[in-house]
Amino acid sequence: MFADAAGSARRVIHWRPSLSLEVDMKRLAAAVLPLIAMAPLHAATLETRTYTVEITPMCGERVTDCEQFAYAGTHNRNRSRLNLVGKPGQGPCPRGNAPCDPRGWQFQDGDANYFVGQDGWLVMTRGTKTLLREHGTWRD
């Protein structure tokens, strides 16, 4: 308690947000900030018979050699969605020409590997087994 200029007694109340509110705000910031950072700069979309895949660089506009990309794949029939982060990658290089220039992007989800080729190929593998190999069309 303290007295104001007129001599009236006043109680000082220190407001402190509850721990729950602080935790919720931290969770919200942790969820929203990466989305802002991942805002599409120059996304490209590959449409195959089964999937629609959007590839987005996760680097700034002035970065010429981006090493991190977002993969947002949607199954065209059931609309299930998979989001991954990957890097530039080579498809199978012609024998004797390794290493070859990046020809697409590679992503990993557990033991499943995804390759999205600049030439329009979407290839999903698990170990040595090819699960899907479809050719599609790029649209901007």
Side-chain angles (χ1 to χ4, degrees):
M1 291 240 223
F2 73 96
D4 65 10
S8 302
R10 300 210 177 202
R11 180 192 286 185
V12 176
I13 299 174
H14 295 281
W15 181 79
R16 175 161 163 60
S18 71
L19 181 59
S20 174
L21 179 60
E22 287 180 34
V23 169
D24 289 344
M25 292 303 287
K26 287 179 182 176
R27 285 182 184 155
L28 178 63
V32 171
L33 290 177
L35 294 176
I36 292 169
M38 287 179 18
L41 297 174
H42 301 294
T45 303
L46 176 66
E47 292 180 347
T48 72
R49 187 178 52 107
T50 310
Y51 290 92
T52 299
V53 177
E54 184 174 86
I55 303 293
T56 306
M58 296 175 64
C59 301
E61 290 181 18
R62 296 186 179 139
V63 176
T64 56
D65 292 333
C66 189
E67 291 295 320
Q68 197 168 23
F69 291 83
Y71 169 106
T74 304
H75 191 278
N76 293 334
R77 197 170 337 132
N78 66 20
R79 308 307 296 165
S80 63
R81 188 171 173 96
L82 177 64
N83 296 306
L84 302 169
V85 174
K87 60 186 179 181
Q90 285 92 357
C93 294
R95 204 172 277 249
N97 289 348
C100 55
D101 292 330
R103 299 186 338 194
W105 303 269
Q106 59 189 22
F107 304 89
Q108 190 169 356
D109 182 29
D111 62 346
N113 293 298
Y114 297 75
F115 179 77
V116 181
Q118 293 174 351
D119 57 0
W121 283 100
L122 172 61
V123 181
M124 298 177 191
T125 59
R126 181 169 284 127
T128 58
K129 182 176 181 180
T130 300
L131 306 174
L132 176 86
R133 183 176 174 87
E134 288 186 350
H135 191 264
T137 305
W138 286 103
R139 66 174 171 86
D140 291 327

